[in-house]
Amino acid sequence: MIDPVAKFPSELDQLPDRDTEETAEWAASLDAVAKAAGPHRAAYLMRRTLQHAEGAGLALPKLLETDYVNTIPSPSEPVIDGDEEMERRITAWNRWNAAAMVTRGSKYGVGGHIATFASAAWLYETGFNHFFRGKEGDGSGDQLYIQGHASPGIYARAFLDGRLTEAHLDKFRQESGGDGLPSYPHPRRLPWLWEFPTVSMGLGPLSAIYQARFNRYLTNRNIKDVSNSHVWAFLGDGEMDEPESTAALALAAREGLDNLTFVINCNLQRLDGPVRANFKIVQELEAQFRGAGWNVVKSLWGGAWDELFQLDTTGALVRRLREVPDAQVQTYQTRDAAYIREDFFGKDPALVEMAKLLSDDKILECFHLSRGGHEPRKVYAAYKAALSHKGAPTVILAQTVKGFTLGEGFASKNANHQMKKLTNDEFKNMRDLLELPISDAQFVDGQVPYGHPGAESPEVRYLQERRAALGGPAPARRSHAVAPLPAPADKSFAAFDKGSGSQSMATTMAFVRLMKDLIRDKTTGKRWVPIVPDEARTFGMESLFPSLGIYSPKGQTYEPVDRDQLMYYREAKDGQILNEGITEAGSMADFIAASSAYATHGEPMIPFYIFYSMFGWQRTADQMWQLGDQLGRGFLVGATAGRTTLTGEGLQHADGHSPVIAATNPAALSYDPAFAYEVAAIVKDGLRRMYGEAAPGEDRDVFYYLTVYNEPMPQPAKPSGIDEGIIKGLYRFNTAETAGVTVPVNASRIQLLGSGTAIHWTLEAQKLLAEEWGVAADVWSATSWTELRRDALEADAALLRGEERIPFVRKALEGVDSPVLAVSDYMRQVPDQIAQWIEQDYSSLGADGFGLSDTREAARRHFGVDAQSIVVAALAQLAKRGEVPVTAVKEARERYGL
């Protein structure tokens, strides 16, 4: 016999053995079992010993995988608190109408998905009938993240419930008339029903985790007690390949979010074929979630398998289930009993003997029909287990068949995700299978009918009674009649109107100072939610640490290394700052949860998320689209913005395009303020519009994107009469005359439009043009190229309707008969957004291309946006008009070394 001590020398070096003789006895016992009963028995005993040790509270590494069987055995399943037959009939109607809706719409070519809800129907129906709390009871109810491709089933249930009509169902994916149903959960398109957008895939699970976390944040900060709210996220096994799906699993476990349950519909298929053809996705997910610290509940096999497991006295069945790859399980779904007998049972003598005891019908029942996700008792048991588990989030891995009940043409077929309709014969077979009272005569003109038992039927009354007991309809979104928040005192904003005098200040610091004042407001200060991805010190926010505290559900269990300093790192259970570490995706998920709290919880919160501008829209634009869909409100702040202001960091940090990406989002109001007083004016107007008294017809469901800069510059005093221009996007900052430069009488004139930090080079160019070239330049601050463009587009649309409306940018420049040169620290595409509405000669300068590491001055010269480059461009524009000699352009290039 091999000496067990000799097997593991490295481990023994690290873990001193106080009793080598006892260790050898345990190892010898294991060897004896393996020799006498086989290695499978030895492995079984080891697993059971580890499970026992874990249950006893011993500090051992967790077992990451269990056998390919249900976590909750049949004898331990609780009795369903309801009428199972009634719920079966309700589910049958919903299955029918979900398939009918997509099939009827297919004649218009609008698409749709049938197979996903067919596999997941009981996962939703069990929850709606027994678990999902509505918003008409105490608290905020539960938050439901519905798998996007299952939306037809949710619409079908709302139809049965009386919340939708046949006319609505017939306008599935046909929204242009105003009363259609969106393809997926889109709150912006159907705001009374959907709360959370879950397509693009992967964003749902990430958002669900941070929503559950934000619920705890609200409770711990005494904003609102939402401890009874539970977050349910319904996901597909293929969706779990998206990196966002698993990005925050450790956060959920670390913070003990037992108010969160993932329900993963493991139908083993993604869009093109098997999720893990040669492997087992359930086992992979179990290990991943267990390793992250989640509670895992597997619901794989239905009741028909109980007899097989009772016959499995050797463990051969469990071993075979564990080794069969997922693609072969799918194949069994489509093959006859003879094939299954040979391929599945024929691999092991013990299984061959077992199969002799099973009829063909029994084998087909097990392999074709009986899955844990298709049986309400199994699903009910899993949900009860999830809610009763404390201290960690739960994931339920429910095995299903994609296309279940839709017939042999659908079930488990690789192409079923793209199959949009059933034939009438397939519908009739489905009707017979589901035992629905729909006659052949109801198929009028060859079209499948919708089915409804009647508004006063036992099914509808039961459904409504269950929902009433659980707190009202679900899913549902409530636009609470929340009173507008009072405006903060004007002094917080007016503090920047005087300018900074001789002191230089970066607009990043101006924004942070403004936030400090607003957070001190006794009425609304507690509603601010500062969000930072581990860059607070970069943005000068460390002074907020001791006063606001950094949120942690555990508080601060250690003495911080800088405790003796004024701005020490303070964590607190009621901390206000969300410092997420290095995760822009997590920070955006925080922002989304906070920005929509006015609807989710009836509590308006004011999030501001400050980040490196390069790492906001470029990394998480998909989430910002999700934010717009979810009708979120708040302030996104792209700090250290611009392509040339962040010295030394180089290509990956130099942002020259975030305003371009922001311009693609209809809900984003994008601003590039140049001065501190502009930052204050924009934030003030944003608070009014999103949280205060919005003007008639003004869309409140928007969010603001502000770029701020880390380059300290003198901040001028605010000129009078410019507030409208700041908000609408353009105002004249000064003229050549008011700037105090000397120009000849009747000098050539040019209009210089600058945004953000570029206005400072523009002002320098104004001085050079006057002093060295005798040219008068007026300087304009373009706070938002995007808002100018949107206003102009709206004016164009009004003109098509026969309404006379002049774009604001054209009105602002009205009467100007000199050329216009626009300059920004971004690619030229940013200022060129307004080019077609400028009546004057127009040209632009910008920082196109990749960023580079160098001084600010060198970078600006490289991109041709420094003051001297602006002068040359201005002279060239004037030379084309014959207003300055052509030789002046060449002379300027040579003088400035361009």
Side-chain angles (χ1 to χ4, degrees), residues 576-632:
Q576 192 164 351
I577 300 169
L578 292 173
N579 193 326
E580 291 303 353
I582 306 175
T583 167
E584 285 82 8
S587 299
M588 267 306 302
D590 265 337
F591 187 91
I592 292 170
S595 71
S596 53
Y598 72 92
T600 309
H601 296 298
E603 294 288 345
M605 304 299 288
I606 313 172
F608 76 86
Y609 164 35
I610 186 167
F611 50 88
Y612 263 93
S613 65
M614 186 68 163
F615 305 143
W617 289 88
Q618 177 166 296
R619 286 192 177 183
T620 59
D622 198 10
Q623 286 178 285
M624 288 153 177
W625 197 263
Q626 178 191 15
L627 166 65
D629 192 350
Q630 199 164 316
L631 310 177

Side-chain angles (χ1 to χ4, degrees), residues 493 514 676-686 718 723 726-727:
F493 307 102
L514 176 61
Y677 66 76
E678 291 178 355
V679 172
I682 293 164
V683 171
K684 180 179 180 180
D685 190 69
K718 179 181 179 181
D723 289 280
I726 291 175
I727 302 308

